[in-house]
Amino acid sequence: MSKNLVIVESPAKAKTIEKYLGKDFKVLSSVGHIRSIAKKTKDGTAPIDVAAGFKTVYEVDPEKKKVITELKKAIKDANDVWLATDEDREGEAIAWHLCEVLKLDPAKTKRIVFHEITKGAIEEAIKKPRTVDMHLVQAQQARQILDRLVGFELSPVVWQKVPGGKSAGRVQSPAVRLLVEREREIQSFEGSFSFKVTAVFTTSGEELRAELPQRFKTEAEAQAFLESLTDATFTVSNVTKSPSTRNPGAPFTTSTLQQEANSRLGFGSKATMASAQRLYQEGKITYMRTDSVNLSGQALAQMSEYITSEFGAEYHQVRKFKTKSASAQEAHEAIRPTDVRTTAASGDNYDQKLYDLIRRRTLASQMAPAKLEKTTITINVSTRKEVFEAKGEVIVFDGFLKVYGANKKEEAILPAVSSGDTLDLNEAAARQVFARPPARYSEGSLVKKLEELGIGRPSTYATIINTVQVRGYAVKGENEGQPRDVIVFSLDKDNVKRDVVQEKTGSDRGKLVPTASGEVVSDFLTNHFDQIVDYGFTADVEEEFDEIANGKMERNKMLEDFYKPFHKLIEESGGIDRSTVAQAREIGIDPKSGKPILARFGRFGPMLQLGNPDRDDKENKPQFAPMPQGARVETVTLEQALQAFQLPREVGKTPEGEVIKANIGRFGPYIQVGKTFVSIKPLDPHDITEEEARELYAEKLKKDAEKFIQEFPGGIQVLNGRYGPYITDGKKNAKIPKDKDPKTLTEIEVKDLLAATPNKKPFRRGGRAKK
């Protein structure tokens, strides 16, 4: 019998901690949250009683009943219980819920926290137990109660009043508004162009690339300049060299880790946090939800020793960074390796890449600045007043760049020249360049913007970004861009040649693009529930959560101040006229039928409608067509609409004689053969050929055949999945033991395996997934 029972959040964390504690300790896991706010109560009253001081009814998650039974049994056999859930507000709330459900006294039960899962940190935490911090618990409760009230009261209004509206949330809505505002900036951007002139000179057999600092506004000016170079001489008029230094950034916070992982590794916020979670649970990095850039004295000492021995004393420089966030707790640490000497932290390629990024960033923060020398060469043109400039940069001492190289192309190293040297012109060109509209947000840049505005906290960034995509209010762009013509003048001996080349523009690949539904919902909330999407108001609410956590504000006062004006708006929302939300726009008249064609929003987003509904004329119901790709309710033309109503289009037939139809649906263009649907992205349903359609259909049939292994009564199937064979009944999936052949399983065996598989929900911890 173990004298001490330690309860943590995740099974992976439990295994790691149990290695460091002796035989007197048993470590079990709650597997995340064990209770949540009830959806409905037994007596039919609201789970949150606003009038009774926001009294809240919680219910045990059904899938956690077995876990609770095991914990209760273990408590009977233990002398002491230690709650070792994570050190943030969510972790504190889980500790309190454990006390409530397991009948532990929160004022007496030992609570321990640690920033890293190492032997030293665990042993130190055991020496300094405290009790559950109710201020942190109340801050978490305030967030949870507020989000539940907003979601439950506002979402039904959105369903009723907004075509295609799904839900609205307190923090996700300002994020959608950011995306919508950026998209409209891009749409209203007035493009312009100029001509950039570049040249390649030679000196002593070496190339020297230079650029004209000025741009020309017209073709005529650019052409005239190139023509003036035919008889010109080119002389170096000045060579300037200036030393500069480049300093490393601070070690990672949650926000900067998500930004940099997105920029350097292409990781999304959710994937970054899941990977960091695994590294933390395995004891490889410190706690991954933090807004502090502080490093412990022990970590600084270890890095000092490592950097000096590995690279030399000249590479080491102690730095103490100051956290910008007023709410950050300096007692917490930045995200860093628990042992900087460890280079290989995981056999998982994904996790290893993230660990390497964290390790290199941490090391760089304690290394000397890089010393650079910037050189600018000015080149006079005898026939013009304009001058060319060649710029380069040489790294004199790499410093921190030795471990954390710059995330951009380094400038060229220039050949040695002196003032007065004459250069030979090898080539020159003037290329049309276009002004760029504002860039769409990536996941990383949206996290940065949310942090700048004070919206969200380290524990919520990934959830916010995931939610706006799951709700269908934003999507990850897949468009590689559209081709556009670019004018290029080039000097060929004594002649200036004009060419038109093509380049792609407008790519949104990997960027967050608001959907039409996202735009309509955002506009609706801005017009009728401004406080929900107001950036300043949302940031103020976050600060009030911080004040509750610090014991400076009463939970119920904060909730009342928010809820009363919000609920008044809900009560008044009945008067909002649905027809004024996302109004339909008449595009023109169909020449065949004489009926009007409208562009409007429907249940699944923007669409086209031919004819107006007439309740008395049931035979002439309106026809509907999906919005053409790239078109919008505000901009779609009559020509585009008429083409859209040509769908579905009969493309041809399969070799077996079945009709192939092409159309556009909710999820994009597709072909249909009988009851089989096949995506044809990026092909256009208006011009896909029979040969292309047959090929895609054959591929679909081949994949389906490879996926199918066996079928049993009741819709039970044995299928090949992404991670190997599995059993499904359409509701839940069951793993197949390694010693079983999926091809020879019997009906009794598959039913037994399904029966033994619980109805699992994702591991939930305030919306965060764990494994």
Side-chain angles (χ1 to χ4, degrees), residues 144-189:
Q144 195 178 38
I145 290 168
L146 213 55
D147 289 349
R148 170 62 72 91
L149 289 171
V150 169
F152 268 50
E153 294 196 11
L154 185 55
S155 291
V157 176
V158 172
W159 300 336
Q160 293 166 16
K161 304 294 182 181
V162 183
K166 295 179 179 69
S167 68
R170 186 185 59 80
V171 184
Q172 78 198 41
S173 298
V176 175
R177 181 185 170 190
L178 279 170
L179 299 178
V180 170
E181 286 179 344
R182 177 56 54 88
E183 195 66 20
R184 288 178 178 161
E185 284 179 51
I186 294 168
Q187 289 161 9
S188 62
F189 181 76

Tab-separated table of all heavy atoms in Angstrom, residues 144-189:
chain	number	residue	atom	x	y	z
A	144	GLN	N	-15.348	30.476	-17.742
A	144	GLN	CA	-16.203	29.374	-18.187
A	144	GLN	C	-17.681	29.777	-18.153
A	144	GLN	O	-18.443	29.502	-19.091
A	144	GLN	CB	-15.959	28.158	-17.296
A	144	GLN	CG	-16.501	26.856	-17.863
A	144	GLN	CD	-16.196	25.678	-16.952
A	144	GLN	OE1	-16.239	25.800	-15.727
A	144	GLN	NE2	-15.905	24.531	-17.540
A	145	ILE	N	-18.098	30.445	-17.070
A	145	ILE	CA	-19.494	30.869	-16.927
A	145	ILE	C	-19.847	31.898	-18.002
A	145	ILE	O	-20.895	31.808	-18.654
A	145	ILE	CB	-19.751	31.439	-15.515
A	145	ILE	CG1	-19.703	30.313	-14.476
A	145	ILE	CG2	-21.084	32.183	-15.443
A	145	ILE	CD1	-19.656	30.795	-13.033
A	146	LEU	N	-18.959	32.866	-18.190
A	146	LEU	CA	-19.213	33.911	-19.177
A	146	LEU	C	-19.310	33.326	-20.592
A	146	LEU	O	-20.232	33.649	-21.346
A	146	LEU	CB	-18.068	34.934	-19.115
A	146	LEU	CG	-18.427	36.396	-19.403
A	146	LEU	CD1	-19.541	36.864	-18.494
A	146	LEU	CD2	-17.194	37.263	-19.228
A	147	ASP	N	-18.379	32.442	-20.918
A	147	ASP	CA	-18.396	31.839	-22.253
A	147	ASP	C	-19.642	30.990	-22.464
A	147	ASP	O	-20.211	30.971	-23.557
A	147	ASP	CB	-17.136	31.002	-22.470
A	147	ASP	CG	-15.890	31.869	-22.621
A	147	ASP	OD1	-16.042	33.095	-22.772
A	147	ASP	OD2	-14.765	31.326	-22.591
A	148	ARG	N	-20.086	30.290	-21.403
A	148	ARG	CA	-21.295	29.476	-21.520
A	148	ARG	C	-22.529	30.370	-21.718
A	148	ARG	O	-23.371	30.102	-22.570
A	148	ARG	CB	-21.467	28.604	-20.269
A	148	ARG	CG	-22.804	27.888	-20.175
A	148	ARG	CD	-23.048	26.908	-21.318
A	148	ARG	NE	-22.223	25.734	-21.203
A	148	ARG	CZ	-22.599	24.620	-20.568
A	148	ARG	NH1	-23.787	24.543	-20.004
A	148	ARG	NH2	-21.784	23.589	-20.523
A	149	LEU	N	-22.633	31.438	-20.936
A	149	LEU	CA	-23.784	32.336	-21.047
A	149	LEU	C	-23.845	32.990	-22.424
A	149	LEU	O	-24.909	33.065	-23.044
A	149	LEU	CB	-23.730	33.409	-19.953
A	149	LEU	CG	-24.013	32.940	-18.524
A	149	LEU	CD1	-23.714	34.048	-17.528
A	149	LEU	CD2	-25.459	32.469	-18.378
A	150	VAL	N	-22.698	33.466	-22.894
A	150	VAL	CA	-22.664	34.110	-24.217
A	150	VAL	C	-23.035	33.106	-25.300
A	150	VAL	O	-23.877	33.376	-26.165
A	150	VAL	CB	-21.272	34.715	-24.498
A	150	VAL	CG1	-21.159	35.148	-25.957
A	150	VAL	CG2	-21.009	35.899	-23.582
A	151	GLY	N	-22.420	31.931	-25.242
A	151	GLY	CA	-22.690	30.921	-26.254
A	151	GLY	C	-24.140	30.472	-26.268
A	151	GLY	O	-24.775	30.392	-27.326
A	152	PHE	N	-24.696	30.206	-25.067
A	152	PHE	CA	-26.059	29.679	-24.987
A	152	PHE	C	-27.123	30.729	-25.306
A	152	PHE	O	-28.205	30.388	-25.781
A	152	PHE	CB	-26.313	29.083	-23.592
A	152	PHE	CG	-25.997	27.615	-23.524
A	152	PHE	CD1	-24.782	27.133	-23.987
A	152	PHE	CD2	-26.910	26.701	-23.015
A	152	PHE	CE1	-24.485	25.771	-23.941
A	152	PHE	CE2	-26.616	25.338	-22.971
A	152	PHE	CZ	-25.397	24.872	-23.432
A	153	GLU	N	-26.836	31.993	-25.034
A	153	GLU	CA	-27.847	33.022	-25.292
A	153	GLU	C	-27.693	33.655	-26.675
A	153	GLU	O	-28.686	34.011	-27.318
A	153	GLU	CB	-27.789	34.099	-24.207
A	153	GLU	CG	-28.193	33.575	-22.829
A	153	GLU	CD	-28.509	34.677	-21.838
A	153	GLU	OE1	-28.628	35.846	-22.259
A	153	GLU	OE2	-28.641	34.367	-20.639
A	154	LEU	N	-26.444	33.810	-27.127
A	154	LEU	CA	-26.215	34.493	-28.406
A	154	LEU	C	-26.355	33.563	-29.612
A	154	LEU	O	-26.857	33.961	-30.659
A	154	LEU	CB	-24.825	35.147	-28.396
A	154	LEU	CG	-24.451	36.011	-29.605
A	154	LEU	CD1	-25.504	37.103	-29.839
A	154	LEU	CD2	-23.080	36.643	-29.399
A	155	SER	N	-25.914	32.311	-29.470
A	155	SER	CA	-25.953	31.387	-30.612
A	155	SER	C	-27.368	31.192	-31.170
A	155	SER	O	-27.549	31.215	-32.390
A	155	SER	CB	-25.313	30.044	-30.241
A	155	SER	OG	-23.918	30.203	-30.065
A	156	PRO	N	-28.406	30.998	-30.321
A	156	PRO	CA	-29.759	30.868	-30.880
A	156	PRO	C	-30.200	32.104	-31.669
A	156	PRO	O	-30.932	31.984	-32.651
A	156	PRO	CB	-30.640	30.672	-29.637
A	156	PRO	CG	-29.717	30.093	-28.614
A	156	PRO	CD	-28.398	30.745	-28.862
A	157	VAL	N	-29.756	33.290	-31.248
A	157	VAL	CA	-30.086	34.514	-31.987
A	157	VAL	C	-29.432	34.468	-33.369
A	157	VAL	O	-30.053	34.805	-34.381
A	157	VAL	CB	-29.613	35.770	-31.214
A	157	VAL	CG1	-29.876	37.036	-32.030
A	157	VAL	CG2	-30.299	35.859	-29.864
A	158	VAL	N	-28.186	34.008	-33.395
A	158	VAL	CA	-27.472	33.895	-34.673
A	158	VAL	C	-28.163	32.880	-35.577
A	158	VAL	O	-28.325	33.114	-36.778
A	158	VAL	CB	-25.988	33.509	-34.432
A	158	VAL	CG1	-25.272	33.185	-35.739
A	158	VAL	CG2	-25.253	34.646	-33.719
A	159	TRP	N	-28.588	31.747	-35.014
A	159	TRP	CA	-29.283	30.731	-35.823
A	159	TRP	C	-30.547	31.315	-36.451
A	159	TRP	O	-30.851	31.064	-37.611
A	159	TRP	CB	-29.695	29.532	-34.955
A	159	TRP	CG	-28.569	28.826	-34.282
A	159	TRP	CD1	-27.255	28.801	-34.667
A	159	TRP	CD2	-28.644	28.041	-33.075
A	159	TRP	NE1	-26.511	28.068	-33.779
A	159	TRP	CE2	-27.333	27.583	-32.787
A	159	TRP	CE3	-29.673	27.693	-32.222
A	159	TRP	CZ2	-27.041	26.791	-31.683
A	159	TRP	CZ3	-29.394	26.899	-31.123
A	159	TRP	CH2	-28.093	26.457	-30.856
A	160	GLN	N	-31.284	32.077	-35.649
A	160	GLN	CA	-32.588	32.595	-36.106
A	160	GLN	C	-32.461	33.757	-37.084
A	160	GLN	O	-33.260	33.881	-38.015
A	160	GLN	CB	-33.413	33.052	-34.899
A	160	GLN	CG	-33.846	31.927	-33.970
A	160	GLN	CD	-34.352	32.456	-32.635
A	160	GLN	OE1	-34.658	33.636	-32.498
A	160	GLN	NE2	-34.432	31.579	-31.636
A	161	LYS	N	-31.461	34.596	-36.867
A	161	LYS	CA	-31.411	35.852	-37.614
A	161	LYS	C	-30.403	35.878	-38.772
A	161	LYS	O	-30.524	36.726	-39.660
A	161	LYS	CB	-31.073	37.011	-36.653
A	161	LYS	CG	-32.035	37.146	-35.475
A	161	LYS	CD	-33.423	37.545	-35.919
A	161	LYS	CE	-34.363	37.734	-34.724
A	161	LYS	NZ	-35.727	38.100	-35.147
A	162	VAL	N	-29.416	34.984	-38.733
A	162	VAL	CA	-28.346	35.043	-39.739
A	162	VAL	C	-28.391	33.818	-40.640
A	162	VAL	O	-28.261	32.693	-40.147
A	162	VAL	CB	-26.946	35.128	-39.061
A	162	VAL	CG1	-25.865	35.256	-40.120
A	162	VAL	CG2	-26.901	36.309	-38.102
A	163	PRO	N	-28.600	33.987	-41.941
A	163	PRO	CA	-28.571	32.841	-42.854
A	163	PRO	C	-27.214	32.135	-42.785
A	163	PRO	O	-26.173	32.763	-42.956
A	163	PRO	CB	-28.778	33.467	-44.236
A	163	PRO	CG	-29.383	34.808	-43.969
A	163	PRO	CD	-28.844	35.249	-42.654
A	164	GLY	N	-27.245	30.848	-42.486
A	164	GLY	CA	-25.995	30.089	-42.416
A	164	GLY	C	-25.219	30.279	-41.128
A	164	GLY	O	-24.147	29.707	-40.964
A	165	GLY	N	-25.787	31.072	-40.176
A	165	GLY	CA	-25.095	31.293	-38.909
A	165	GLY	C	-25.112	30.044	-38.051
A	165	GLY	O	-26.143	29.386	-37.938
A	166	LYS	N	-23.981	29.705	-37.436
A	166	LYS	CA	-23.895	28.481	-36.635
A	166	LYS	C	-23.809	28.779	-35.146
A	166	LYS	O	-24.478	28.159	-34.334
A	166	LYS	CB	-22.684	27.652	-37.080
A	166	LYS	CG	-22.813	27.133	-38.510
A	166	LYS	CD	-21.571	26.350	-38.904
A	166	LYS	CE	-21.697	25.816	-40.326
A	166	LYS	NZ	-21.653	26.874	-41.336
A	167	SER	N	-22.937	29.685	-34.778
A	167	SER	CA	-22.765	29.996	-33.356
A	167	SER	C	-21.980	31.283	-33.240
A	167	SER	O	-21.459	31.807	-34.224
A	167	SER	CB	-22.013	28.865	-32.639
A	167	SER	OG	-20.674	28.821	-33.096
A	168	ALA	N	-21.897	31.778	-32.020
A	168	ALA	CA	-21.074	32.953	-31.751
A	168	ALA	C	-20.449	32.779	-30.384
A	168	ALA	O	-21.088	32.292	-29.458
A	168	ALA	CB	-21.920	34.220	-31.781
A	169	GLY	N	-19.206	33.137	-30.261
A	169	GLY	CA	-18.501	32.991	-28.993
A	169	GLY	C	-17.853	34.293	-28.581
A	169	GLY	O	-17.584	35.171	-29.410
A	170	ARG	N	-17.585	34.414	-27.286
A	170	ARG	CA	-17.075	35.678	-26.748
A	170	ARG	C	-15.699	36.041	-27.297
A	170	ARG	O	-15.421	37.208	-27.541
A	170	ARG	CB	-17.028	35.576	-25.215
A	170	ARG	CG	-16.646	36.863	-24.509
A	170	ARG	CD	-16.501	36.629	-23.034
A	170	ARG	NE	-15.503	35.627	-22.738
A	170	ARG	CZ	-14.185	35.859	-22.717
A	170	ARG	NH1	-13.727	37.054	-22.971
A	170	ARG	NH2	-13.345	34.892	-22.434
A	171	VAL	N	-14.817	35.056	-27.474
A	171	VAL	CA	-13.454	35.367	-27.922
A	171	VAL	C	-13.250	35.034	-29.395
A	171	VAL	O	-12.476	35.682	-30.082
A	171	VAL	CB	-12.413	34.628	-27.047
A	171	VAL	CG1	-11.009	35.018	-27.445
A	171	VAL	CG2	-12.622	34.954	-25.578
A	172	GLN	N	-13.976	34.028	-29.907
A	172	GLN	CA	-13.789	33.679	-31.317
A	172	GLN	C	-14.317	34.786	-32.225
A	172	GLN	O	-13.800	35.014	-33.325
A	172	GLN	CB	-14.489	32.361	-31.644
A	172	GLN	CG	-16.006	32.488	-31.832
A	172	GLN	CD	-16.751	31.194	-31.733
A	172	GLN	OE1	-16.457	30.369	-30.888
A	172	GLN	NE2	-17.740	31.018	-32.576
A	173	SER	N	-15.362	35.514	-31.791
A	173	SER	CA	-15.991	36.522	-32.640
A	173	SER	C	-15.061	37.692	-32.971
A	173	SER	O	-15.008	38.121	-34.124
A	173	SER	CB	-17.296	37.017	-32.005
A	173	SER	OG	-18.204	35.928	-31.886
A	174	PRO	N	-14.304	38.250	-31.999
A	174	PRO	CA	-13.340	39.286	-32.369
A	174	PRO	C	-12.261	38.767	-33.322
A	174	PRO	O	-11.780	39.512	-34.187
A	174	PRO	CB	-12.721	39.696	-31.025
A	174	PRO	CG	-13.721	39.308	-30.003
A	174	PRO	CD	-14.386	38.089	-30.534
A	175	ALA	N	-11.895	37.484	-33.195
A	175	ALA	CA	-10.893	36.905	-34.102
A	175	ALA	C	-11.440	36.846	-35.525
A	175	ALA	O	-10.729	37.170	-36.493
A	175	ALA	CB	-10.498	35.505	-33.629
A	176	VAL	N	-12.716	36.462	-35.666
A	176	VAL	CA	-13.346	36.442	-36.998
A	176	VAL	C	-13.413	37.859	-37.550
A	176	VAL	O	-13.164	38.091	-38.737
A	176	VAL	CB	-14.757	35.821	-36.934
A	176	VAL	CG1	-15.453	35.915	-38.289
A	176	VAL	CG2	-14.680	34.368	-36.486
A	177	ARG	N	-13.717	38.816	-36.691
A	177	ARG	CA	-13.793	40.214	-37.138
A	177	ARG	C	-12.442	40.672	-37.688
A	177	ARG	O	-12.392	41.377	-38.710
A	177	ARG	CB	-14.218	41.111	-35.972
A	177	ARG	CG	-14.335	42.582	-36.367
A	177	ARG	CD	-14.626	43.465	-35.176
A	177	ARG	NE	-14.492	44.863	-35.524
A	177	ARG	CZ	-14.495	45.857	-34.639
A	177	ARG	NH1	-14.648	45.602	-33.349
A	177	ARG	NH2	-14.360	47.101	-35.030
A	178	LEU	N	-11.357	40.293	-37.037
A	178	LEU	CA	-10.019	40.642	-37.541
A	178	LEU	C	-9.813	40.106	-38.957
A	178	LEU	O	-9.307	40.813	-39.837
A	178	LEU	CB	-8.941	40.059	-36.618
A	178	LEU	CG	-8.620	40.827	-35.342
A	178	LEU	CD1	-7.708	39.981	-34.445
A	178	LEU	CD2	-7.949	42.158	-35.657
A	179	LEU	N	-10.195	38.848	-39.170
A	179	LEU	CA	-10.028	38.229	-40.487
A	179	LEU	C	-10.889	38.931	-41.537
A	179	LEU	O	-10.451	39.162	-42.665
A	179	LEU	CB	-10.387	36.746	-40.425
A	179	LEU	CG	-9.549	35.868	-39.494
A	179	LEU	CD1	-10.060	34.433	-39.517
A	179	LEU	CD2	-8.078	35.900	-39.879
A	180	VAL	N	-12.126	39.274	-41.158
A	180	VAL	CA	-13.052	39.928	-42.091
A	180	VAL	C	-12.545	41.326	-42.455
A	180	VAL	O	-12.555	41.722	-43.634
A	180	VAL	CB	-14.467	39.996	-41.483
A	180	VAL	CG1	-15.383	40.892	-42.320
A	180	VAL	CG2	-15.059	38.598	-41.373
A	181	GLU	N	-12.105	42.067	-41.462
A	181	GLU	CA	-11.603	43.424	-41.733
A	181	GLU	C	-10.383	43.393	-42.643
A	181	GLU	O	-10.256	44.223	-43.553
A	181	GLU	CB	-11.260	44.128	-40.410
A	181	GLU	CG	-12.485	44.551	-39.635
A	181	GLU	CD	-12.164	45.236	-38.321
A	181	GLU	OE1	-10.999	45.124	-37.855
A	181	GLU	OE2	-13.063	45.867	-37.754
A	182	ARG	N	-9.499	42.423	-42.432
A	182	ARG	CA	-8.314	42.310	-43.289
A	182	ARG	C	-8.726	41.949	-44.720
A	182	ARG	O	-8.185	42.493	-45.693
A	182	ARG	CB	-7.352	41.275	-42.708
A	182	ARG	CG	-6.103	41.000	-43.538
A	182	ARG	CD	-5.278	42.251	-43.827
A	182	ARG	NE	-4.899	43.003	-42.652
A	182	ARG	CZ	-3.801	42.780	-41.936
A	182	ARG	NH1	-2.976	41.805	-42.291
A	182	ARG	NH2	-3.517	43.532	-40.891
A	183	GLU	N	-9.708	41.044	-44.859
A	183	GLU	CA	-10.166	40.643	-46.192
A	183	GLU	C	-10.746	41.836	-46.938
A	183	GLU	O	-10.523	41.999	-48.152
A	183	GLU	CB	-11.214	39.529	-46.060
A	183	GLU	CG	-11.491	38.784	-47.343
A	183	GLU	CD	-10.308	37.974	-47.848
A	183	GLU	OE1	-9.399	37.665	-47.054
A	183	GLU	OE2	-10.293	37.668	-49.059
A	184	ARG	N	-11.456	42.685	-46.235
A	184	ARG	CA	-12.052	43.857	-46.896
A	184	ARG	C	-11.007	44.913	-47.242
A	184	ARG	O	-11.160	45.640	-48.221
A	184	ARG	CB	-13.163	44.428	-46.016
A	184	ARG	CG	-14.369	43.487	-46.043
A	184	ARG	CD	-15.512	43.910	-45.196
A	184	ARG	NE	-16.601	42.939	-45.360
A	184	ARG	CZ	-17.600	42.802	-44.525
A	184	ARG	NH1	-17.685	43.585	-43.454
A	184	ARG	NH2	-18.540	41.903	-44.735
A	185	GLU	N	-9.966	44.988	-46.438
A	185	GLU	CA	-8.846	45.866	-46.804
A	185	GLU	C	-8.238	45.415	-48.126
A	185	GLU	O	-7.894	46.222	-48.982
A	185	GLU	CB	-7.765	45.825	-45.714
A	185	GLU	CG	-8.077	46.614	-44.460
A	185	GLU	CD	-6.938	46.474	-43.442
A	185	GLU	OE1	-5.775	46.697	-43.810
A	185	GLU	OE2	-7.222	46.106	-42.291
A	186	ILE	N	-8.106	44.085	-48.263
A	186	ILE	CA	-7.527	43.519	-49.488
A	186	ILE	C	-8.438	43.792	-50.685
A	186	ILE	O	-7.978	44.183	-51.764
A	186	ILE	CB	-7.294	41.997	-49.314
A	186	ILE	CG1	-6.219	41.748	-48.256
A	186	ILE	CG2	-6.887	41.349	-50.640
A	186	ILE	CD1	-6.109	40.302	-47.807
A	187	GLN	N	-9.757	43.618	-50.477
A	187	GLN	CA	-10.711	43.819	-51.575
A	187	GLN	C	-10.781	45.281	-52.016
A	187	GLN	O	-10.967	45.568	-53.198
A	187	GLN	CB	-12.099	43.337	-51.147
A	187	GLN	CG	-12.213	41.829	-51.028
A	187	GLN	CD	-13.399	41.401	-50.180
A	187	GLN	OE1	-14.240	42.220	-49.815
A	187	GLN	NE2	-13.463	40.126	-49.857
A	188	SER	N	-10.623	46.197	-51.070
A	188	SER	CA	-10.729	47.620	-51.413
A	188	SER	C	-9.382	48.229	-51.804
A	188	SER	O	-9.306	49.412	-52.131
A	188	SER	CB	-11.322	48.396	-50.227
A	188	SER	OG	-10.461	48.306	-49.098
A	189	PHE	N	-8.346	47.417	-51.773
A	189	PHE	CA	-6.998	47.915	-52.085
A	189	PHE	C	-6.917	48.349	-53.550
A	189	PHE	O	-7.308	47.615	-54.450
A	189	PHE	CB	-5.965	46.824	-51.805
A	189	PHE	CG	-4.550	47.244	-52.082
A	189	PHE	CD1	-3.876	48.067	-51.204
A	189	PHE	CD2	-3.899	46.824	-53.240
A	189	PHE	CE1	-2.569	48.446	-51.453
A	189	PHE	CE2	-2.605	47.203	-53.492
A	189	PHE	CZ	-1.938	48.018	-52.596
